[in-house]
Amino acid sequence: DVKVTQSSRYLVKRTGEKVFLECVQDMDHENMFWYRQDPGLGLRLIYFSYDVKMKEKGDIPEGYSVSREKKERFSLILESASTNQTSMYLCGSGLAGVSYEQYFGPGTRLTVT
Amino acid sequence: DQQVKQNSPSLSVQEGRISILNCDYTNSMFDYFLWYKKYPAEGPTFLISISSIKDKNEDGRFTVFLNKSAKHLSLHIVPSQPGDSAVYFCAATDNYGQNFVFGPGTRLSVLP
């Protein structure tokens, strides 16, 4: 079974703090994704990566950065957390060029106070 | 402007009947469409997908229909079961499978 793990299920941070969310997948997938999920808006793509050290902006990259130094690991960084970044963050991974289904981690509920 | 729309935020269906969840999209570059199911406190799980070259794909109780000219797809669940109660997301991607767009979701409640 594909496993996607996220470093924390719940996180509370203060405004202005630097926040790291980490995602690890164990299926050697090329593609990895970071989304945020907000009520009424569904999942919105923040960044994706199709290879080590490669990254592409999604629909809402402002205020976020990412890092992919190893194939299995994809980190989302909030350089200076703000209250409007309070959300559920979901990491996904998938194979390139085979099928487009993604496998998701359980999510991290981030609260910025 | 939302490129993938699910206009029904919620749907209630009796156990054993058909559930029909709808999705509309605006971007004609989308080439592949997927449905995901999400339970509370869990990540979404993949249900079924369809390529733009097909108009129907079936997997057990789940069937997805695609009407490309109308830019509309639907997910049929027959028969509906209480365990199907969840939020269902429609998603679309281009033929590179990298830039995904999700709809806002429809909460399905299957009543026993």
Side-chain angles (χ1 to χ4, degrees):
Chain A
D1 270 356
V2 176
K3 197 164 184 186
V4 180
T5 56
Q6 294 184 229
S7 47
S8 307
R9 292 300 300 268
Y10 301 94
L11 212 50
V12 180
K13 295 291 181 181
R14 292 190 181 272
T15 302
E17 278 192 85
K18 192 167 186 175
V19 182
F20 292 88
L21 303 181
E22 194 164 75
C23 174
V24 178
Q25 51 96 0
D26 66 358
M27 282 302 291
D28 205 35
H29 286 165
E30 291 87 359
N31 295 337
M32 295 188 75
F33 306 81
W34 274 107
Y35 298 87
R36 61 178 283 177
Q37 183 194 357
D38 300 290
L41 297 176
L43 279 70
R44 292 181 292 165
L45 183 63
I46 304 171
Y47 269 96
F48 65 93
S49 168
Y50 53 89
D51 203 350
V52 174
K53 296 193 186 296
M54 306 303 288
K55 60 186 179 185
E56 292 285 342
K57 293 180 180 179
D59 295 326
I60 51 165
E62 296 79 17
Y64 303 94
S65 61
V66 290
S67 171
R68 192 164 180 203
E69 296 296 319
K70 292 185 178 181
K71 190 174 186 180
E72 68 271 17
R73 198 176 294 264
F74 192 34
S75 301
L76 180 70
I77 303 150
L78 287 66
E79 295 289 341
S80 177
S82 63
T83 55
N84 63 11
Q85 292 178 310
T86 291
S87 187
M88 170 68 82
Y89 289 88
L90 290 159
C91 173
S93 76
L95 281 169
V98 177
S99 74
Y100 298 126
E101 63 184 88
Q102 289 181 47
Y103 298 87
F104 284 89
T108 296
R109 169 72 64 187
L110 172 67
T111 303
V112 183
T113 62
Chain B
D1 188 32
Q2 282 188 335
Q3 297 185 68
V4 176
K5 301 176 186 181
Q6 295 176 257
N7 291 322
S8 299
S10 63
L11 175 69
S12 290
V13 169
Q14 210 68 36
E15 181 179 4
R17 307 293 286 267
I18 184 171
S19 295
I20 300 176
L21 295 96
N22 293 304
C23 177
D24 297 286
Y25 62 97
T26 56
N27 190 339
S28 56
M29 297 301 290
F30 289 144
D31 216 39
Y32 206 81
F33 304 89
L34 308 94
W35 284 94
Y36 284 85
K37 178 168 76 172
K38 188 180 185 299
Y39 294 119
E42 294 183 15
T45 53
F46 170 74
L47 261 182
I48 192 168
S49 61
I50 189 165
S51 162
S52 61
I53 61 172
K54 294 186 173 183
D55 56 16
K56 178 182 172 181
N57 189 25
E58 201 169 346
D59 184 1
R61 297 186 297 116
F62 302 93
T63 303
V64 56
F65 295 93
L66 175 62
N67 182 334
K68 207 173 172 188
S69 60
K71 293 191 176 70
H72 176 84
L73 61 155
S74 60
L75 174 68
H76 293 211
I77 306 173
V78 184
S80 301
Q81 300 173 352
D84 296 329
S85 297
V87 177
Y88 289 78
F89 292 100
C90 170
T93 186
D94 55 25
N95 60 3
Y96 296 102
Q98 292 173 344
N99 198 353
F100 281 77
V101 181
F102 280 74
T106 296
R107 182 178 299 279
L108 174 66
S109 299
V110 180
L111 310 172

